[in-house]
Amino acid sequence: QVQLVESGGGLVQAGGSMRLSCAASGRTFSSTAVAWFRQAPGKERESVASINWRGDITLYVDSVKGRFTISRDNTKNTVYLQMNSLKPEDTAVYYCAASATSRYANLRDYGLYNYWGQGTQVTVSS
């Protein structure tokens, strides 16, 4: 079992930066793939970034490539999402999720992610 807690959300102006953290409990976290998702009001949840268990392979949705960076520190059981050059369209609740079965980064198969955090609100003002 893995419990996930996100932090670091808030209000930022367009063009600004923010770093989200996802702290995990559970001894298997370091061997699992992790992803960040987001859901804006009235829209479906979408995957944003994913990282493999070792932290050396990352995937990003096109809309955040070059602006967002996902990373992990397995010694601290934490995954990060560094968000730069933020845009109003990045406004959403951001969730981290971990897989119980896969070590490999994946943006398409949402069903791979078994454990979810409660989410943290990110608001980007124009």
Side-chain angles (χ1 to χ4, degrees):
Q1 190 75 9
V2 175
Q3 288 81 42
L4 304 174
V5 178
E6 301 97 336
S7 61
L11 175 64
V12 65
Q13 288 189 330
S17 297
M18 183 177 288
R19 188 176 81 159
L20 305 182
S21 299
C22 174
S25 62
R27 60 183 177 88
T28 62
F29 181 75
S30 62
S31 63
T32 67
V34 176
W36 285 95
F37 292 76
R38 66 185 180 187
Q39 188 166 19
K43 294 188 177 181
E44 293 187 352
R45 188 172 297 188
E46 66 168 345
S47 56
V48 174
S50 180
I51 190 166
N52 71 336
W53 64 286
R54 292 185 303 192
D56 58 349
I57 296 176
T58 56
L59 300 175
Y60 299 93
V61 68
D62 285 348
S63 60
V64 307
K65 283 181 180 177
R67 300 189 298 122
F68 289 13
T69 302
I70 187 171
S71 61
R72 68 190 299 163
D73 184 342
N74 285 341
T75 65
K76 297 181 179 179
N77 269 8
T78 303
V79 171
Y80 305 96
L81 186 67
Q82 177 67 44
M83 304 183 294
N84 299 327
S85 302
L86 282 161
K87 304 175 181 180
E89 51 263 43
D90 294 317
T91 295
V93 177
Y94 283 71
Y95 301 88
C96 69
S99 175
T101 56
S102 178
R103 295 186 170 196
Y104 306 106
N106 190 305
L107 290 176
R108 296 180 300 175
D109 298 328
Y110 291 16
L112 287 176
Y113 297 98
N114 311 92
Y115 308 112
W116 292 79
Q118 81 289 349
T120 185
Q121 176 70 47
V122 172
T123 302
V124 184
S125 63
S126 57

